[in-house]
Amino acid sequence: MDLNQSLFNWIHQFAHGNFLLDDLGVFLAQYLPYLLVLGFLTLAVRNKDWRLRVLIFTEGALAVILSRGIITELIHFFYHHLRPFAALNFTPMISESGYSFPSGHAAWFFAIAMTVFYYNRKMGIWYFAFAVINGVARIFVGVHWPFDIVSGAVVGIACGIAVHKLLEPNLKKLQTQPSKP
C-alpha cells in the first residue's frame, strides 16, 4: 500500500463513526466553499476605490479560471485517476463524478486564498486554513486522495502567483494614481 492510500485510509477511517462528525465533514466538503466565495466577493467589493475592487475580482477570477477551468481540466483530459470510492468500491458521503487528480476544489480555493493573501494577509491566512480544511474534509467524505488535494493546492497557488505577477503592474499604477469618484 502506498503513502497516498495509507493517508486516505487514516483520514477516512473516522467517517461513519459519529453522525455529528459526518455532518461536519459533509458541510466542510460541500458547503464551506460557498462561504469562501462569499467572503472573497465581500473582500473585493468592500474597497472604497472601485478600480481596486475590479482588480481584486479580476485577479481572483483569472486565477480560478486558469487553475480550475484550464489546468486541472487539461490534466483530467490526459490523466485518468479514479476517485477513492471508485477504486475501493464504497459509497462516498457526497456525490461526485469525474477524475480525481488534481482536485478542482483545491485548485479553486488555493487560487482564491493566494489572491486574498496578496490583498489582505490576515484574511489570506484564514483562507489557506479553510482551503486545507475543505481538502481534508473531501478526503474524509471519500471523494479525493490526499495527493489530489496537494496537487490541486500546488496548481492553485502557482496560478494565483502567476496571475498576480501578470497584473501587478496595474496594481502599482493604481497605487500611484489618485482615485476618481
Side-chain angles (χ1 to χ4, degrees), residues 25-68:
V26 168
F27 173 81
L28 294 173
Q30 199 163 28
Y31 301 108
L32 176 62
Y34 295 110
L35 297 176
L36 294 176
V37 169
L38 184 62
F40 171 73
L41 293 173
T42 301
L43 172 70
V45 300
R46 77 176 186 181
N47 282 286
K48 293 177 183 169
D49 186 348
W50 68 271
R51 298 170 305 169
L52 189 56
R53 282 185 280 199
V54 170
L55 184 64
I56 292 170
F57 179 79
T58 301
E59 188 172 321
L62 288 175
V64 166
I65 290 167
L66 181 61
S67 65
R68 174 62 181 106

Side-chain angles (χ1 to χ4, degrees), residues 8 10-11 14-15 29 31-32 35 37-38 44 49 52 54 56 61 73 95 114 124 126 136-137 143 149 154:
F8 172 81
W10 185 80
I11 294 169
F14 300 104
Y31 301 108
L32 176 62
L35 297 176
V37 169
L38 184 62
D49 186 348
L52 189 56
V54 170
I56 292 170
E73 288 305 314
S95 177
M114 195 73 238
W126 280 104
V136 172
V143 297
I149 303 301
V154 169

Side-chain angles (χ1 to χ4, degrees), residues 3-156:
L3 179 62
N4 200 28
Q5 187 170 349
S6 295
L7 284 171
F8 172 81
N9 289 339
W10 185 80
I11 294 169
H12 187 67
Q13 75 177 334
F14 300 104
H16 304 292
N18 177 303
F19 77 94
L20 291 175
L21 185 59
D22 290 350
D23 288 348
L24 179 63
V26 168
F27 173 81
L28 294 173
Q30 199 163 28
Y31 301 108
L32 176 62
Y34 295 110
L35 297 176
L36 294 176
V37 169
L38 184 62
F40 171 73
L41 293 173
T42 301
L43 172 70
V45 300
R46 77 176 186 181
N47 282 286
K48 293 177 183 169
D49 186 348
W50 68 271
R51 298 170 305 169
L52 189 56
R53 282 185 280 199
V54 170
L55 184 64
I56 292 170
F57 179 79
T58 301
E59 188 172 321
L62 288 175
V64 166
I65 290 167
L66 181 61
S67 65
R68 174 62 181 106
I70 297 174
I71 294 179
T72 59
E73 288 305 314
L74 276 172
I75 294 170
H76 288 166
F77 184 76
F78 291 107
Y79 181 72
H80 303 152
H81 193 257
L82 293 176
R83 291 183 180 275
F85 65 86
L88 301 175
N89 197 29
F90 66 88
T91 303
M93 298 172 81
I94 63 174
S95 177
E96 197 63 65
S97 62
Y99 297 113
S100 69
F101 177 85
S103 167
H105 277 79
W108 174 297
F109 294 110
F110 278 92
I112 289 289
M114 195 73 238
T115 301
V116 170
F117 185 77
Y118 278 120
Y119 293 97
N120 183 324
R121 296 219 187 261
K122 187 175 181 181
M123 192 172 171
I125 291 169
W126 280 104
Y127 261 73
F128 278 114
F130 285 130
V132 168
I133 289 167
N134 176 257
V136 172
R138 292 186 66 76
I139 297 166
F140 174 82
V141 300
V143 297
H144 275 296
W145 301 100
F147 193 59
D148 300 341
I149 303 301
V150 170
S151 60
V154 169
V155 167

